[in-house]
Amino acid sequence: MRYSAIALAFLLLGCGTGTSSLPTIKPAPISSTGSPLPDLQPRLDAIGVLLTDCAARLRGEPVAPADNCTHVMPDVTGVIDEVEKQSAKLPPAGQTALAEVRRQLTEIAPCEPWFAAGGTSADGQLDARCKKAWDALFDGYSAVRNSA
C-alpha cells in the first residue's frame, strides 16, 4: 500500500510537469474583501477543471473515454443554477456573465452529438457553430467563476 501511494505521487507529479497551450479556468486573485460566494468556490473550481479537460478532448488530445463533454453540461447547469440563486451577491460584471452563460447553455444544447464525437463532424457549418458556442461557454463560465 505504501509503495502504491509513492508511485501515485510520482505519477501525479510527472503528469503535472508538462506544458499545455490549452486554456484553463483558473480562479482570479481574491480581493481583500474575499469571494462573494465562498460556499460555491469548490464546485465552481471543480466544474472549471471539467471544462478544461473537455477542451483537451475537443482539440483532439487524448483523454480518458469517460471525459466526454456531453456529461459535463448538466454539471455546468447545476452549478450555474446555484450561482443564480445568490446572484445578488455578485458584482455587475458577474451578473452579466451569469446571464451570458445561461444563454450559452441554451445555444450549446444542440451540439451534444458534436461533443460526443470529440468536436468534429462531416458538417463544416455545425463544426463552426458548435466550436463558437463552446468557446463562448468556456469564456463565460470563466468570467462567472472569477467574479464569484
Side-chain angles (χ1 to χ4, degrees):
M1 181 70 159
R2 183 176 184 190
Y3 294 111
S4 298
I6 294 170
L8 179 60
F10 281 118
L11 178 63
L12 291 174
L13 181 63
C15 290
T17 59
T19 59
S20 174
S21 61
L22 288 176
T24 57
I25 296 176
K26 297 180 190 172
I30 301 296
S31 70
S32 60
T33 59
S35 166
L37 304 175
D39 56 320
L40 291 178
Q41 290 304 312
R43 284 193 66 203
L44 285 162
D45 290 343
I47 300 301
V49 169
L50 290 173
L51 287 172
T52 299
D53 290 347
C54 185
R57 170 135 171 87
L58 293 177
R59 286 181 168 74
E61 295 182 17
V63 295
D67 290 338
N68 185 323
C69 298
T70 58
H71 300 293
V72 79
M73 292 308 153
D75 294 331
V76 173
T77 300
V79 78
I80 291 300
D81 289 345
E82 292 300 314
V83 171
E84 271 185 334
K85 290 176 186 175
Q86 300 181 45
S87 63
K89 297 178 183 177
L90 293 176
Q95 293 177 7
T96 300
L98 185 62
E100 187 64 21
V101 168
R102 181 60 71 193
R103 185 182 65 76
Q104 292 157 357
L105 283 167
T106 301
E107 287 184 11
I108 211 163
C111 294
E112 287 188 24
W114 181 81
F115 289 129
T120 60
S121 75
D123 182 346
Q125 289 181 336
L126 176 68
D127 286 349
R129 186 175 73 239
C130 290
K131 182 182 180 328
K132 182 178 176 184
W134 165 255
D135 289 344
L137 176 66
F138 191 89
D139 292 342
Y141 186 87
S142 185
V144 167
R145 164 57 194 93
N146 290 336
S147 69

